[in-house]
Each structure stands twice: as C-alpha cells, then as structure tokens.
Amino acid sequence: MSEEPIGAGNAPRLMTVQELALYLNVSTGWVRKGVLSRTLPYTKLGKNVRFTPEQVAQILAAGDVPPAAGSGGSPRRDSRRTRL
C-alpha cells in the first residue's frame, strides 16, 4: 500500500489578494473589502488570505449577469438623427 505525498505538483495553486486583484483587474482594496465583509469566498492560512481555483470560479460566477429578457441582437439606431 503506497500513499503518494502531497507535493507541489498535486496541490492547487492558491492566489494572494494581490494576484486575485490583478487577475480580476480590480483594486486590492476591492478584494480586501470583499474578504472583510465576507462577500468573497476565501481560505485562511494562519493570518494569510488565499483563494483556491474553485473560489475564484465562484467569484466570477457570482458576477454573471444574464441577458435581459427580450433583448435580441444589436441596439437600434435612433432614426431621428439628422445628417450634416
């Protein structure tokens, strides 16, 4: 019976606050505020905050906005525009 130790190759890559902010193109303050208000999922390692790939996916999924009902195609142009 051979158990494989968990090594760097098996462990998921954890992101720091700064890395997540860079990845999401938001400020570190936005991420920290989400952690403090507990609106963003995170993992605590001692005093360090980290984000698993699954938590990053949850953050992205929480921001998904479905298209409005009845919206189809491109917006219409205003036909009342005058040419100069």
Side-chain angles (χ1 to χ4, degrees):
M1 178 167 146
S2 108
E3 292 183 28
E4 291 186 33
I6 296 177
N10 299 345
R13 169 77 171 97
L14 301 178
M15 286 185 163
T16 64
V17 168
Q18 293 80 9
E19 290 170 334
L20 180 66
L22 232 141
Y23 179 75
L24 297 177
N25 197 28
V26 297
S27 69
T28 55
W30 183 87
V31 176
R32 290 184 193 283
K33 190 183 292 185
V35 168
L36 288 173
S37 64
R38 295 190 178 191
T39 56
L40 296 180
Y42 63 94
T43 299
K44 199 91 186 262
L45 298 172
K47 64 178 184 172
N48 300 304
V49 172
R50 297 290 186 264
F51 302 91
T52 65
E54 292 80 15
Q55 290 165 333
V56 174
Q58 288 175 4
I59 293 168
L60 290 171
D64 281 349
V65 178
S71 69
S74 60
R76 293 184 179 197
R77 295 186 116 181
D78 188 359
S79 60
R80 295 177 285 157
R81 292 172 73 178
T82 58
R83 292 187 179 199
L84 298 177

